[in-house]
Amino acid sequence: MPEVRGPAPRMVIRGGMVVDATGWRRADVVVVDGVVVSLDDAVAPPPGSTVLDAGGCLVAPGLVDLHTHLRDPGDEQAETIESGTRAAALGGYTAVVAMPNTDPPLDSAPAVRAVLDRAATALVQVAVAGAITVGRAGARLAPMAEMAALGVRLFTDDGTGVQSPAVMRRAMEYGRGLGVTLAQHCEDADLVGDGVMHEGVWSSRLGLAGRPAAAEEVMVARDLALAGLTGVRLHLLHLSTAGSVALVAAAKSRGAAVTAESTPHHFTLTDAEVATFDPVFKVNPPLRGRSDVDAVVRGLADGTIDAIATDHAPHRADRKELPFDEAPAGMVGLETAFALALTELDAGWATGEGSGRAGRTPEERERDLISRILALMSWQPAVIAGLDPDHGGGHGGPIAPGAQANLCVVDPGARWTVDRAALASRSGNTPFAGRALRGRVRHTIVRGEPVVRDGEATR
Amino acid sequence: MRHLLGMGDLDADELVEVLDVADAFVEVGQRANPKVPALRGRTVATVFFESSTRTRVSFETAAKRLSADVLSFSAGTSSLNKGESLRDTIETIESMGIDALVIRHAAAGVPVQVARWLSSTCVVNAGDGAHEHPTQALIDLLTIRQVRDPGGKGVGCFAGLAVTIVGDIRHSRVARSQVCGLARLGARVTLVAPATLLPPSLEGWPVEAIGHDLDAVLPTTDVVSLLRVQEERGSGTYVPSLREYAHGYGLTAARAALLPPDAVVLHPGPVIRGVEVAPEVLDLPAVLVRRQVSNGVAVRMAVLFLLLGSGDRPSSGSRGAGGDGASAGGLGPGPGEAARTVEVSAVDDA
Ligand SMILES: [Zn+2]
């Protein structure tokens, strides 16, 4: 892996609580040449070593985002690989999967290679999701083998779903042969029509055309059936409805090779936000009703949903000042995702059925909450993206000697308020401006380099 | 009331005030010189992204009769630049020094967005997508009051009034504004439409009943409000054909005969004869379409006057509008301030 700036030769992350898929322990973590060399109770840092204070913090495997729109190439005014990965690093991410709906789209080996080459100097590792069809047009299969040869493990036409069941079936068959995962943005375009928000109580009152929950669910159901037919690994992007969660739960109980993600906005916000007609609340799939939000929260608790993904979708400010009907859909999310999970799921799971959190001490509940969130944001998405150690990657694995030092150090007790102007993303289209959250990233270490130190990006 | 974006901006007292002031302006409009100096020196901009000559002319006539200066911007002319962002367009117009911005847009919510961007200009919604068309609903309320309670004040005539709204409620901004205003004044609203032309959810709507059988509700209806059927919907997927729609929901002579003798029929226009209403029914005295149009200017005068006026209420001479002591709500003079009544005298057109 090319590196522009060498990692600090020796670094000690001191005073933190180490948390990974294997459990919790108090330890100082020593990193040499980008690799974890030891974990000890108390390390006296030798002279010349970098010391990162992790007092009161968790030291965890870096977060992995399965769903980032870097907008580069094509809309560099909204985001670039550099600004997007800086936002990711500030959010605690050490790797992101870049979605292929750029301009031109990432539907060929040269297009993928160009992004990977330019991302070599980025603050976090960028993996690329390749397009399923040429031009994301939904008709002809893109050269998936060529892209897979460059390391692409995930294929999707995200931005839209592959509408033709026959084309999706062929893509799944072909993808199974390549050993890759197909990911789908589930919305049936025909049912969506000219809808711009969730169809329901609010769309009816506001006179905005709706996108029914069923538009998502019919494609979830269709693709689960097609995945059963073809045997491909299927990943469902940004699930947002109670019906979708139930379909995935049923498929998993049958042993289907399916994984699913959901976004912070879908477990936090409802369609009532659209009453402001502020396009910052416009997103696809749309913000849903309360019962859908509750189902997503439960799905995250009971394992139906495997990952929290941001669907970070930057848009220039002027594009979000169009009429609601005309404004582009999408929200930025990299810098707020972890804190939203910690803040919102704490409340949601405390009462949610199936959370298994009843009858524990507050400290046990907090540990359980954090472990579950890290599973959803680090090691589980790392496996889905093929970025985990078992697939030869350096993300999400246990923090142990020999592991690549892709780490985040977060203070779970730190309280802060989202400030649109303070975001590192080039775009400020967060629906969470002004929201008080807890949980803040203190340091992010990528291949041994502290790309975020004391809450500030180092480059 | 800083803006009129939707009927929800008006509480019951404010609704009464708009109707009372509008009534006074109806009388002013019958004079030889219908012009009053109330808004002299103020500027009203009409900004119509969606063309509607009727509504624009009605607002501009209202502004001119109040002696305001009028700036007119409309799509299709060079005055609204297509490439420019909505916010830039609106801020440019505001920088010309306007006091009120009357806006029509095909997209729901644009007046709400625009009101957020403007610092001191009043925004009046002249129809936004399928969201709201508050002045049309106010016209309908005024028209109903004029016939149900001639010369009356207050809103007693709305209590228990059975209003049936028929047609494409799903896509109708008029229906959303009507339901809100009528319910606030105590009317009992029934919606009648084929299921495809009802909103996907009516949860929380202050309506008494929802039905698909017009014949069943007409005998107990006091006011029928027919909505325009957009032809593109008729030939689209919402109803099989305009013919089938007219068969089930058109106000034919036979259906009109089911109405109680004092019932009235409203239509926001323009009417598609033979679809929403049969040609012979249109000419019945119970059909108030023309009266709605003539009330349009007075209602829009009232809205502009109450938003921009100094708080002085117009007097129409003998009737002394404003002298009824109705609560001023957010529209009139502040507490302790005397409600001065200004004489609405004709001004010179020169
Ligand atoms: Zn998507």
Side-chain angles (χ1 to χ4, degrees):
Chain A
M1 226 158 281
E3 283 164 8
V4 272
R5 302 193 195 192
R10 176 178 282 270
M11 183 170 67
V12 181
I13 304 165
R14 201 159 66 166
M17 180 68 77
V18 174
V19 191
D20 58 21
T22 68
W24 292 58
R25 64 259 179 217
R26 224 317 285 142
D28 293 353
V29 180
V30 180
V31 175
V32 175
D33 290 334
V35 174
V36 173
V37 295
S38 66
L39 282 81
D40 285 297
D41 237 6
V43 175
S49 56
T50 303
V51 179
L52 298 182
D53 174 29
C57 290
L58 311 164
V59 180
L63 309 183
V64 175
D65 189 28
L66 287 169
H67 201 143
T68 301
H69 295 277
L70 290 175
R71 303 292 187 223
D72 185 353
D75 193 6
E76 293 85 351
Q77 282 180 284
E79 197 79 287
T80 61
I81 292 172
E82 186 190 335
S83 65
T85 56
R86 187 175 296 116
L90 286 163
Y93 291 92
T94 55
V96 298
V97 178
M99 289 288 119
N101 61 334
T102 49
D103 184 16
L106 309 182
D107 63 352
S108 69
V112 170
R113 191 181 297 114
V115 169
L116 291 176
D117 285 351
R118 287 193 301 117
T121 59
L123 277 78
V124 308
Q125 186 177 346
V126 175
V128 166
I132 293 173
T133 64
V134 174
R136 297 174 48 251
R140 281 192 304 130
L141 295 191
M144 292 165 66
E146 267 180 38
M147 291 187 272
L150 294 175
V152 174
R153 313 295 273 266
L154 216 57
F155 288 86
T156 178
D157 275 0
D158 184 59
T160 56
V162 176
Q163 297 299 315
S164 159
V167 171
M168 192 61 192
R169 180 231 171 125
R170 292 297 172 230
M172 286 179 165
E173 284 176 342
Y174 196 70
R176 184 201 55 207
L178 299 173
V180 299
T181 300
L182 291 208
Q184 186 77 292
H185 172 124
C186 293
E187 277 192 300
D188 182 293
D190 210 17
L191 275 173
V192 158
D194 55 2
V196 294
M197 69 173 294
H198 175 58
E199 179 178 298
V201 174
W202 284 101
S203 69
S204 300
R205 288 182 196 171
L206 300 173
L208 287 168
R211 304 165 87 94
E216 174 175 319
E217 291 154 5
V218 294
M219 196 175 281
V220 170
R222 182 199 80 175
D223 280 11
L224 288 170
L226 292 176
L229 176 69
T230 60
V232 78
R233 265 197 320 275
L234 173 66
H235 178 67
L236 299 170
L237 302 169
H238 42 50
L239 287 193
S240 70
T241 80
S244 296
V245 176
L247 285 164
V248 172
K252 284 190 166 185
S253 72
R254 294 192 303 267
V258 59
T259 54
E261 65 180 40
S262 208
T263 69
H265 46 272
H266 285 121
F267 65 67
T268 305
L269 303 173
T270 69
D271 56 345
E273 304 284 352
V274 180
T276 60
F277 289 102
D278 185 343
V280 81
F281 296 108
K282 183 173 176 181
V283 66
N284 294 336
L287 300 177
R288 303 289 188 183
R290 174 52 57 191
S291 59
D292 294 309
V293 171
D294 291 346
V296 168
V297 169
R298 277 198 304 278
L300 288 164
D302 67 18
T304 304
I305 301 169
D306 305 90
I308 292 170
T310 64
D311 194 5
H312 178 83
H315 288 292
R316 279 160 25 202
D318 61 319
R319 305 276 293 144
K320 285 290 191 180
E321 287 170 350
L322 290 166
F324 198 90
D325 279 350
E326 297 165 27
M331 309 168 163
V332 294
L334 287 166
E335 295 170 74
T336 50
F338 179 78
L340 281 164
L342 201 57
T343 309
E344 297 292 331
L345 296 178
D346 193 8
W349 289 349
T351 52
E353 293 163 43
S355 67
R357 299 178 73 217
R360 307 214 201 161
T361 67
E363 194 195 342
E364 285 170 335
R365 281 211 301 276
E366 173 77 354
R367 282 195 174 200
D368 177 70
L369 173 74
I370 287 165
S371 292
R372 284 163 179 261
I373 288 170
L374 289 172
L376 290 163
M377 297 187 76
S378 176
W379 42 92
Q380 287 171 187
V383 171
I384 294 167
L387 292 169
D388 59 313
D390 285 348
H391 290 88
H395 300 270
I399 300 174
Q404 202 179 97
N406 293 309
L407 305 168
C408 64
V409 178
V410 297
D411 179 351
R415 292 181 187 276
W416 61 292
T417 300
V418 180
D419 174 7
R420 177 169 288 149
L423 297 177
S425 172
R426 280 205 178 176
S427 296
N429 54 308
T430 173
F432 299 108
R435 186 177 282 243
L437 299 175
R438 82 161 169 118
R440 189 114 221 221
V441 175
R442 189 180 288 179
H443 316 296
T444 304
I445 297 106
V446 176
R447 298 176 209 121
E449 181 194 355
V451 291
V452 171
R453 198 165 171 177
D454 297 315
E456 304 277 347
T458 56
R459 59 185 175 98
Chain B
M1 181 174 71
R2 157 104 199 275
H3 305 292
L4 182 62
L5 306 175
M7 290 298 277
D9 290 338
L10 299 169
D11 63 25
D13 290 340
E14 289 169 326
L15 274 176
V16 174
E17 180 156 37
V18 174
L19 299 185
D20 289 352
V21 172
D23 250 340
F25 283 130
V26 168
E27 205 157 315
V28 169
Q30 287 155 1
R31 298 178 186 169
N33 180 356
K35 206 163 170 183
V36 296
L39 297 184
R40 179 169 274 161
R42 317 298 294 272
T43 303
V44 174
T46 58
V47 185
F48 276 54
F49 290 90
E50 183 185 63
S51 69
S52 167
T53 308
R54 290 159 48 105
T55 307
R56 188 169 51 78
V57 167
S58 177
F59 268 107
E60 290 176 359
T61 304
K64 285 172 184 164
R65 287 193 181 171
L66 292 165
S67 303
D69 296 319
V70 174
L71 296 175
S72 183
F73 301 85
S74 53
T77 70
S78 55
S79 63
L80 289 181
N81 189 342
K82 219 171 160 57
E84 197 174 31
S85 93
L86 176 64
R87 183 166 185 166
D88 287 347
T89 304
I90 294 300
E91 287 179 350
T92 303
I93 292 171
E94 187 183 39
S95 69
M96 294 174 186
I98 58 170
D99 299 289
L101 190 148
V102 177
I103 186 166
R104 157 77 64 108
H105 203 291
V110 166
V112 180
Q113 293 174 282
V114 165
R116 255 199 308 274
W117 297 329
L118 297 182
S119 46
S120 56
T121 305
C122 300
V123 178
V124 178
N125 182 356
D128 63 327
H131 180 222
E132 286 238 31
H133 193 358
T135 56
Q136 181 62 50
L138 289 166
I139 290 164
D140 298 341
L141 293 177
L142 182 69
T143 306
I144 291 168
R145 190 172 80 166
Q146 286 170 350
V147 296
R148 299 296 297 192
D149 184 14
K153 294 283 161 201
V155 288
C157 64
F158 291 99
L161 187 75
V163 181
T164 300
I165 302 175
V166 185
D168 187 357
I169 293 153
R170 185 184 187 112
H171 301 101
S172 174
R173 51 189 168 220
V174 174
R176 284 178 178 76
S177 289
Q178 282 178 335
V179 166
C180 180
L182 286 163
R184 179 145 297 167
L185 297 181
R188 296 184 294 116
V189 178
T190 297
L191 306 179
V192 178
T196 46
L197 292 179
L198 286 170
S201 166
L202 286 159
E203 190 185 320
W205 286 46
V207 296
E208 180 125 312
I210 297 143
H212 310 297
D213 183 354
L214 186 55
D215 292 356
V217 301
L218 288 176
T220 54
T221 292
D222 298 316
V223 177
V224 183
S225 173
L226 299 171
L227 299 173
R228 207 155 60 84
V229 173
Q230 280 120 337
E231 236 157 330
E232 66 271 19
R233 318 266 186 225
S235 56
T237 55
Y238 290 92
V239 291
S241 67
L242 286 181
R243 190 177 155 274
E244 180 154 317
Y245 176 84
H247 186 71
Y249 300 92
L251 192 63
T252 58
R255 286 208 173 96
L258 297 172
L259 286 164
D262 59 346
V264 294
V265 178
L266 302 175
H267 190 298
V271 180
I272 309 179
R273 285 172 179 257
V275 177
E276 299 123 21
V277 55
E280 64 270 28
V281 173
L282 258 183
D283 300 325
L284 297 176
V287 178
L288 304 177
V289 175
R290 227 161 281 129
R291 185 158 193 159
Q292 288 172 275
V293 174
S294 69
N295 280 335
V297 172
V299 163
R300 288 162 180 141
M301 286 174 81
V303 167
L304 292 172
F305 176 81
L306 290 167
L307 281 169
L308 296 182
S310 57
D312 297 339
R313 308 250 315 244
S315 157
S316 52
S318 58
R319 294 198 35 208
D324 63 341
S327 159
L331 296 173
E337 233 178 291
R340 288 166 296 150
T341 299
V342 287
E343 187 60 30
V344 180
S345 50
V347 293
D348 222 60
D349 242 334

